[in-house]
Amino acid sequence: MASQTLNSSMQPTDVYGGDEVSAIILDPGYSSVRAGFAGEDTPKSFVNSHYGVNESGTVFGDDAIHNPLAALDIRNPMSKEGIVEDWDTATRLWEYSITSRLTSFKQADPRTNGLNDDLKDMDVEMDGIEEGEKPLEEHPLLMTETAWNSPKNREKSIEIAMESWGCPAFWLARNSVMAAFGAGKATALVVDVGASTASVLAIHDGLILKKSVQKSHLAGNWLSSQLRTLFETSEPKVELVPHYMIMSKSPVDAGAPAQATYRKYEKSPTDSFRALEEERVLTEFKESVVQVWPGPGRLNSNNQMGMTNLEYAKGQPGRVFEMPDGYNQMWGVERFSVSEGMFDEKAALPIPGEQPITKAQTIPEMVKASVNAVDMDLRSQLLQNIVVTGGTTLINGFTDRLNNELVAMYPSARIKIQAAGLTAERRFGSWIGGSILGSLGTFHQMWISRKEYEEFGANVVEKRCK
Amino acid sequence: MTSHDVRDMLDLPGEAAPRPAKKQKVAAPRPVLKGLAREVQNLGGDNPIAIVPEVSVFKKKRFGSRKPAAKWENRSFKNSARDDETLVLKHWRRKDESSAAPSGEGEAVAQDGGVVEDSTFAKYNVKVITPQYDDEQYQRHLQDNNWSKDETDYLVSLARDYDLRWPIIWDRYEYQPAINLDPETAEVAIVAKAENRTLENLKARYYTVAATMMKVHKPPESMNQAEFNLLELMQNFNPNQEKSRKQFAEAAFSRTKEEAREEESLLIELKRILARSDKLAEERRELYARLEAPPSTGNIGVFTSSQGLQQLLHQLMQADKSKKRRSIMGPDGTSPAGPSGLNQQPSFDRRESSVRESTSGPSGGSNNKKGPAQPGPTERRQLAPEEMQLYGVKIPERIPSSGPSFRSEKLQKPITSKSSVQQQKMLSVLTELGIPHRLIMPTIAVGESYEALLGGIATLIDQRKVMEKIQGEINTIKEKKRREEEERAAKMSGFGGDGVGDDRDVKVEEGEREKSAAPSMSDTGGQHKRSASVLSAVSEKSTKRQKK
Ligand SMILES: Nc1ncnc2c1ncn2[C@@H]1O[C@H](COP(=O)(O)OP(=O)(O)O)[C@@H](O)[C@H]1O
Ligand SMILES: [Mg+2]
């Protein structure tokens, strides 16, 4: 009887504004591509942005690219700025991330979807796509982009969605706006520190303020190069040997040379492959060892006790990290100093062959520049709605430090930082925001429909997605 | 060693077989745990943790009320709020029973017949209305040296595109003057572009255009209230004021730490002052409310004797103490009835509390009767001289020998120390003067004047008494003299005027002594008829005399 009162006429849409049209959200980044259905809370498909090329073809996805036997040349279709450079491959990479997990497109199985097959076979398959069904004919597509994406690139995105994938509707959203939506805010100052770029920008009512866009390269990859410098310069030098090179290892004391037998490869893997694999070790190191000095003050500044924070940090317990070859060491204050450069340009370790970083590239300075570029009336509101997102912000102490820096910078303003507590939510912040937006009933009027695209051309995206 | 061997050794009969079977039986219903629960269970290793896993048993379906599973369909819909209404999207919806009849063809029908339902969200689409004008209207009303029509158009279109969100409009404002003009104007235009428009600048222009067009379309006389308010608002926009406001805000925003700290401390101080003034006002209001309460009609005769007074004081102290104890209950908790249950008790009680506000102990601390409203003795601080004056705080060199007393008592003393007859007289004089028997605002200054006045009245009454006495004596003597004169009509005459004067002086002294020693017996008749002006003149005189 009770079930009768709760019948179908009661649409929950009125309550939470959701009305799902099985839209797909695609959030490509430098380190990974996130794709999934709108309305879900994490992306179903999470694919490494790096892809491998060898003489037999191109492979995508973590299952394929970490194979040391395949003599893969590892590449990334994204530029260091986080925008697409190689459109052909980017298209295939995204297509892979969508079709491998999401749509019921006939190529769902990665073994048979042609993307990982011989080029000849794949061509056949691609032809099949062209003549027959397209992967997204049933699904509107919401794609994210960086705030500094070029108009040409934006037009290219809609062309791919409409022409290659046959989407009925398309929308292009800024990933920082999506991150703010994911945090439940329409007005926010978004601090996004990902793999290739760190950016700070202001959002008002769901639109980015273009003058406030600040970006620098002090992000995950830069931190990795700091780690490399640290390994190079430490005594004794720490060898960064990726897992695939190790056949076996035996335990050694801390600081003692590694005792491992190494694998030999007939055809030694490429440098880019090795770099990719080294990066995995470094990410592990970042996750478990690296820490940001939480403040107050900088690592090199004095505290109330009359000593520098550095000395204080030296007294803190260290962390042990074991390299793939078995070498292990206690990391003490170094784990603070590698990340300090993100906040204090003078503390950055010099990277050979690169310009020293400038003050303006540090995160607090970017916040300052960004805030100064918006209208006075908005500033205090922005400082109360700071959204922190991106994988690199997961380093321990990052938000504490940011908060301390900003409190010192704006003593009379109220600073409130919002950072998702869950790792997934922090890393997928912009995808989650897209998922929310894409499932809103009120969003249906926003989509750029196929007809509109045909009528106005690719330029329509510039006019509509502001 | 198998269990069989063990059994053999222990001489146990039977097979071991049933046991493992039993064990299996026990193990079988153990639910298969998943995810975190399993991990937790595994933590225990071989000996599982004694957590009783909750086995969720689903309610059995009642077959009687079982209905066919609800049908859902991937239904097409459109959104009329779109510019391009042809976009048809699909969402999953419960199939309604009526359309379910053709079973499975519902979708086809919807598409074929073109009756695609509209999104329920279309209604949420709202757009701002931006001013409309044509070339001629622009020429007539909207010309401005600083703005070309082109740029005005651009501004209005941005305002529409961004729904009047000014920070965004300003952020995205990138006016590029058309280049296809002749070189001269192009140059001018470039110069115009070079001057960066401020947000206020944009707003001012937009509001001017909007207000002007509003008036053009509809004269202000025929506007409704809302429209007129909007017009007013737009016309009153003052970019310079806005600008300076923002400059102030910016200065406040970019303060140094020290400045911020200083301002913070000032703000705290201000808050404290405000809180205090609030409290003061509150207490004052309360005080007035109490004073305006109907005057007690009870008999105060009981208290006229010094004994009665002592008793009253005792009562009050008692009430005060219990009040302090009850203070957690709040100041408005009913006071306990006095021991004698006198009907004027409440009024005295209230009075006591109001007087106490201006009373303070020798410590000079803020001595307040309201426990809960008071942050406590920690707030004690030295009062400035003006504040001392204001609150009537006095710090005597030494505690008077009589011990602490209420100032109210001091006020009443000149009256209550008198005999009841004299009290009556004094009170009646007060009534005549239109001065309430109990002061409405017993500040220290008022109290002092009141005291002086009472002294004056007392003197006046004494003087009157003496005067009457002397008058009586004079009358007697006159009578006597007359009789004597009658008696010795022809005899020689007796007393002179000097003698009378001397006599009177003596009498005055006598009278004064009498007054302080014992209740006078002079009557009160006819006194009330004296005019106030005379009395006040007299009292003034007597006050002066007292000062001397
Ligand atoms: N727990 C972690 N601690 C520190 N760094 C992390 C952590 N997880 C991921 N990262 C780093 O974050 C970066 C990826 O962040 P992400 O926001 O996904 O980047 P993008 O959006 O550019 O793809 C990588 O450089 C990775 O090394
Ligand atoms: Mg990112």
Side-chain angles (χ1 to χ4, degrees):
Chain A
M1 295 301 108
S3 64
Q4 243 167 7
T5 52
L6 259 172
N7 63 14
S8 59
S9 64
M10 291 183 70
Q11 298 290 354
T13 52
D14 295 16
V15 183
Y16 67 98
D19 187 1
E20 280 159 28
V21 291
S22 57
I24 282 178
I25 314 299
L26 180 69
D27 176 31
Y30 181 87
S31 75
S32 57
V33 178
R34 282 78 59 170
F37 288 107
E40 297 186 334
D41 51 8
T42 41
K44 271 211 169 77
S45 174
F46 175 73
V47 175
N48 202 313
S49 286
H50 295 87
Y51 64 96
V53 183
N54 58 16
E55 64 266 28
S56 57
T58 313
V59 290
F60 299 100
D62 283 301
D63 294 344
I65 62 171
H66 299 302
N67 179 5
L69 299 173
L72 292 169
D73 190 23
I74 300 296
R75 297 180 198 159
N76 193 325
M78 309 292 271
S79 76
K80 290 269 181 288
E81 304 252 278
I83 57 181
V84 181
E85 247 174 9
D86 174 0
W87 274 102
D88 287 343
T89 325
T91 311
R92 287 169 60 196
L93 173 68
W94 298 341
E95 205 169 288
Y96 169 78
S97 63
I98 292 169
T99 55
S100 64
R101 293 282 167 97
L102 304 178
T103 61
S104 54
F105 188 48
K106 66 179 173 189
Q107 295 183 337
D109 189 343
R111 283 168 304 180
T112 57
N113 68 359
L115 297 171
N116 291 333
D117 285 353
D118 292 353
L119 267 175
K120 288 178 284 159
D121 291 6
M122 199 183 67
D123 279 342
V124 175
E125 286 291 349
M126 290 299 269
D127 289 341
I129 296 166
E130 239 110 89
E131 65 191 34
E133 55 207 300
K134 292 178 178 176
L136 292 177
E137 264 171 350
E138 296 274 285
H139 307 278
L141 176 72
L142 192 160
M143 216 174 126
T144 70
E145 53 160 359
T146 59
W148 50 90
N149 206 5
S150 66
K152 265 241 117 43
N153 267 358
R154 309 184 81 203
E155 291 181 10
K156 190 84 185 151
S157 310
I158 192 171
E159 275 170 28
I160 288 168
M162 292 292 179
E163 309 283 350
S164 312
W165 297 342
C167 294
F170 178 80
W171 188 258
L172 194 57
R174 310 284 183 176
N175 55 17
S176 33
V177 175
M178 294 301 103
F181 282 180
K185 295 178 188 302
T187 295
L189 189 76
V190 179
V191 178
D192 178 359
V193 189
S196 62
T197 41
S199 66
V200 178
L201 54 92
I203 290 164
H204 178 64
D205 258 1
L207 291 167
I208 57 168
L209 296 175
K210 285 186 171 161
K211 289 177 177 142
S212 72
V213 177
Q214 295 288 325
K215 67 179 203 297
S216 80
H217 68 287
L218 302 192
N221 295 344
W222 177 83
L223 189 60
S224 298
S225 57
Q226 290 280 294
L227 286 173
R228 286 170 194 272
T229 311
L230 174 71
F231 291 167
E232 290 283 318
T233 54
S234 60
E235 277 299 330
K237 200 173 134 185
V238 178
E239 296 291 343
L240 179 55
V241 185
H243 285 280
Y244 75 94
M245 293 180 72
I246 310 297
M247 179 114 73
S248 68
K249 62 180 177 184
S250 43
V252 292
D253 287 341
Q259 287 183 356
T261 42
Y262 299 95
R263 246 182 237 286
K264 288 274 173 293
Y265 291 97
E266 260 172 55
K267 203 170 168 190
S268 69
T270 59
D271 287 350
S272 60
F273 181 80
R274 179 171 177 141
L276 175 75
E277 297 306 308
E278 283 177 357
E279 191 62 40
R280 289 172 92 189
V281 179
L282 292 176
T283 295
E284 213 176 299
F285 190 86
K286 283 189 227 170
E287 286 168 0
S288 52
V289 177
V290 177
Q291 197 157 357
V292 175
W293 167 251
R298 312 192 145 171
L299 193 55
N300 290 322
S301 63
N302 288 325
N303 59 18
Q304 318 100 306
M305 272 108 76
M307 55 178 177
T308 62
N309 288 323
L310 193 72
E311 284 163 36
Y312 173 80
K314 273 181 186 153
Q316 296 297 98
R319 291 213 184 135
V320 178
F321 186 79
E322 187 185 297
M323 301 301 259
D325 60 2
Y327 174 84
N328 63 86
Q329 186 193 329
M330 173 79 85
W331 296 95
V333 72
E334 302 89 354
R335 62 204 186 91
F336 290 105
S337 47
V338 281
S339 61
E340 184 66 11
M342 286 198 279
F343 294 90
D344 179 5
E345 76 286 354
K346 292 192 208 83
L349 310 173
I351 300 169
E354 271 188 37
Q355 292 277 320
I357 61 166
T358 62
K359 186 178 170 71
Q361 288 173 330
T362 60
I363 286 160
E365 286 302 313
M366 287 202 290
V367 172
K368 190 179 195 172
S370 186
V371 167
N372 281 343
V374 303
D375 187 51
M376 187 54 232
D377 291 348
L378 273 183
R379 292 183 194 171
S380 62
Q381 197 192 350
L382 288 175
L383 288 176
Q384 286 177 36
N385 293 285
I386 299 176
V387 172
V388 171
T389 184
T392 302
T393 63
L394 282 165
I395 302 174
N396 246 320
F398 185 94
T399 41
D400 292 340
R401 176 61 176 278
L402 183 62
N403 188 48
N404 274 318
E405 291 278 342
L406 295 184
V407 165
M409 191 181 284
Y410 300 104
S412 52
R414 210 166 77 87
I415 309 287
K416 194 151 177 281
I417 292 182
Q418 174 143 350
L422 294 176
T423 307
E425 282 182 20
R426 194 87 69 87
R427 293 196 66 185
F428 304 144
S430 53
W431 185 91
I432 291 168
S435 170
I436 293 169
L437 182 64
S439 61
L440 288 180
T442 42
F443 186 65
H444 300 328
Q445 69 192 51
M446 309 283 285
W447 292 111
I448 298 173
S449 69
R450 167 163 285 277
K451 188 172 167 226
E452 283 167 318
Y453 168 73
E454 278 158 6
E455 195 175 334
F456 303 107
N459 188 25
V460 71
V461 77
E462 273 295 292
K463 290 205 197 81
R464 296 278 293 279
C465 310
K466 284 162 187 158
Chain B
M1 196 161 64
T2 65
S3 61
H4 187 77
D5 299 331
V6 176
R7 283 171 182 280
D8 232 20
M9 272 189 271
L10 294 173
D11 268 345
L12 283 171
E15 288 292 311
R19 271 188 73 195
K22 212 175 183 182
K23 223 176 199 169
Q24 266 175 358
K25 229 180 183 176
V26 172
R30 240 177 81 189
V32 184
L33 294 175
K34 276 191 201 133
L36 192 63
R38 186 193 58 213
E39 296 301 316
V40 170
Q41 196 68 25
N42 284 349
L43 282 176
D46 290 337
N47 26 331
I49 304 167
I51 299 174
V52 183
E54 190 185 323
V55 184
S56 42
V57 180
F58 293 106
K59 228 196 271 173
K60 263 197 190 133
K61 267 195 181 144
R62 267 179 286 128
F63 285 89
S65 66
R66 199 170 181 182
K67 278 184 280 182
K71 288 208 175 68
W72 289 73
E73 62 179 346
N74 204 6
R75 197 184 302 159
S76 307
F77 70 99
K78 62 182 177 59
N79 188 318
S80 60
R82 291 183 56 84
D83 293 335
D84 157 41
E85 283 191 38
T86 59
L87 176 66
V88 176
L89 296 168
K90 289 179 181 177
H91 52 191
W92 285 98
R93 283 291 176 269
R94 284 288 270 281
K95 213 172 212 167
D96 3 309
E97 300 308 312
S98 52
S99 72
S103 151
E105 278 153 48
E107 194 180 308
V109 168
Q111 275 170 352
D112 297 344
V115 275
V116 183
E117 66 178 314
D118 192 13
S119 165
T120 45
F121 295 95
K123 57 179 181 265
Y124 297 118
N125 188 31
V126 282
K127 285 219 161 73
V128 297
I129 301 155
T130 46
Q132 309 268 323
Y133 48 82
D134 53 33
D135 263 350
E136 189 224 356
Q137 280 170 325
Y138 186 89
Q139 294 306 329
R140 192 152 3 115
H141 303 285
L142 298 171
Q143 294 225 28
D144 189 311
N145 285 340
N146 275 325
W147 290 81
S148 63
K149 174 161 189 300
D150 232 24
E151 194 174 0
T152 309
D153 291 347
Y154 176 72
L155 172 66
V156 172
S157 76
L158 270 192
R160 183 170 49 242
D161 285 353
Y162 294 116
D163 297 330
L164 288 179
R165 286 174 286 197
W166 288 103
I168 295 171
I169 295 169
W170 174 71
D171 182 70
R172 305 288 175 92
Y173 196 86
E174 273 170 2
Y175 178 64
Q176 307 260 328
I179 312 296
N180 56 356
L181 302 164
D182 61 293
E184 259 175 74
T185 34
E187 222 163 86
V188 170
I190 284 160
V191 168
K193 181 213 164 195
E195 68 154 304
N196 246 328
R197 301 267 186 212
T198 62
L199 205 163
E200 287 71 39
N201 211 297
L202 301 180
K203 268 192 190 173
R205 176 64 180 164
Y206 179 82
Y207 289 149
T208 317
V209 171
T212 314
M213 290 323 293
M214 227 173 133
K215 278 192 285 190
V216 168
H217 290 307
K218 202 174 190 181
E221 302 83 61
S222 57
M223 283 182 191
N224 65 27
Q225 191 61 35
E227 285 170 334
F228 189 74
N229 286 349
L230 181 67
L231 181 71
E232 284 266 281
L233 206 65
M234 292 200 290
Q235 279 178 331
N236 290 343
F237 180 76
N238 181 351
N240 292 332
Q241 193 183 330
E242 272 289 288
K243 214 176 197 158
S244 59
R245 179 184 69 77
K246 275 193 186 155
Q247 272 163 3
F248 271 122
E250 188 151 5
F253 188 73
S254 54
R255 282 169 312 182
T256 65
K257 213 174 209 156
E258 285 71 40
E259 286 167 331
R261 203 170 296 146
E262 187 182 327
E263 189 182 298
E264 202 169 312
S265 68
L266 282 177
L267 273 177
I268 289 172
E269 185 70 11
L270 178 68
K271 220 180 251 171
R272 203 161 59 200
I273 290 169
L274 284 180
R276 179 157 314 142
S277 78
D278 269 3
K279 208 168 66 198
L280 217 65
E282 162 78 13
E283 281 172 2
R284 185 156 296 168
R285 201 172 48 241
E286 200 179 313
L287 178 60
Y288 278 130
R290 281 174 182 172
L291 290 170
E292 277 160 15
S296 70
T297 50
N299 179 18
I300 55 159
V302 193
F303 304 114
T304 47
S305 68
S306 58
Q307 223 176 353
L309 263 181
Q310 202 66 38
Q311 196 193 334
L312 176 64
L313 189 66
H314 200 73
Q315 271 175 32
L316 292 183
M317 302 258 265
Q318 207 81 33
D320 194 35
K321 260 190 224 154
S322 55
K323 199 168 196 174
K324 257 183 206 153
R325 249 181 271 121
R326 282 185 301 110
S327 58
I328 320 131
M329 284 165 51
D332 284 332
T334 47
S335 62
S340 55
L342 292 160
N343 51 356
Q344 71 265 51
Q345 173 70 28
S347 84
F348 269 95
D349 199 33
R350 281 196 247 113
R351 177 140 183 73
E352 170 268 335
S353 61
S354 58
V355 171
R356 270 178 58 96
E357 276 158 21
S358 51
T359 321
S360 73
S363 65
S366 54
N367 185 1
N368 262 284
K369 39 123 198 177
K370 279 193 205 159
Q374 207 52 19
T378 43
E379 216 209 0
R380 188 168 292 180
R381 65 178 181 89
Q382 221 58 39
L383 290 173
E386 307 89 69
E387 284 176 310
M388 289 238 231
Q389 180 105 40
L390 183 65
Y391 299 129
V393 176
K394 274 185 181 164
I395 305 173
E397 253 89 85
R398 56 183 180 80
I399 297 168
S401 52
S402 55
S405 61
F406 294 124
R407 227 178 264 168
S408 58
E409 206 182 321
K410 204 166 155 193
L411 274 182
Q412 294 298 313
K413 212 164 191 165
I415 299 181
T416 50
S417 60
K418 299 276 164 21
S419 69
S420 57
V421 183
Q422 266 201 320
Q423 274 185 24
Q424 291 272 294
K425 277 193 199 160
M426 288 180 84
L427 292 181
S428 62
V429 174
L430 281 177
T431 320
E432 205 168 329
L433 290 173
I435 292 171
H437 299 179
R438 212 171 284 138
L439 283 185
I440 289 175
M441 178 96 93
T443 65
I444 193 143
V446 173
E448 268 162 10
S449 309
Y450 185 67
E451 222 173 358
L453 175 65
L454 284 183
I457 291 175
T459 325
L460 172 76
I461 289 171
D462 287 345
Q463 300 264 311
R464 200 162 54 195
K465 204 167 68 191
V466 170
M467 191 192 78
E468 273 158 14
K469 211 176 210 167
I470 291 171
Q471 194 67 52
E473 267 165 38
I474 290 175
N475 286 350
T476 325
I477 290 167
K478 270 189 181 157
E479 184 68 12
K480 217 159 120 191
K481 189 181 163 194
R482 196 176 49 78
R483 263 193 239 152
E484 272 173 18
E485 271 173 6
E486 268 174 31
E487 270 171 30
R488 357 176 185 152
K491 284 179 188 172
M492 56 177 290
S493 59
F495 290 88
D498 313 8
V500 176
D502 292 345
D503 207 33
R504 195 180 58 179
D505 278 350
V506 173
K507 291 291 182 201
V508 169
E509 273 167 33
E510 239 176 38
E512 259 160 16
R513 231 187 300 129
E514 207 177 310
K515 173 200 81 181
S516 53
S520 140
M521 285 159 290
S522 55
D523 66 330
T524 52
Q527 278 167 5
H528 299 296
K529 277 150 205 148
R530 279 172 201 272
S531 78
S533 64
V534 173
L535 261 174
S536 62
V538 173
S539 74
E540 223 171 70
K541 215 168 67 193
S542 55
T543 313
K544 269 183 211 153
R545 206 184 301 163
Q546 257 201 348
K547 271 185 189 153
K548 279 178 212 160

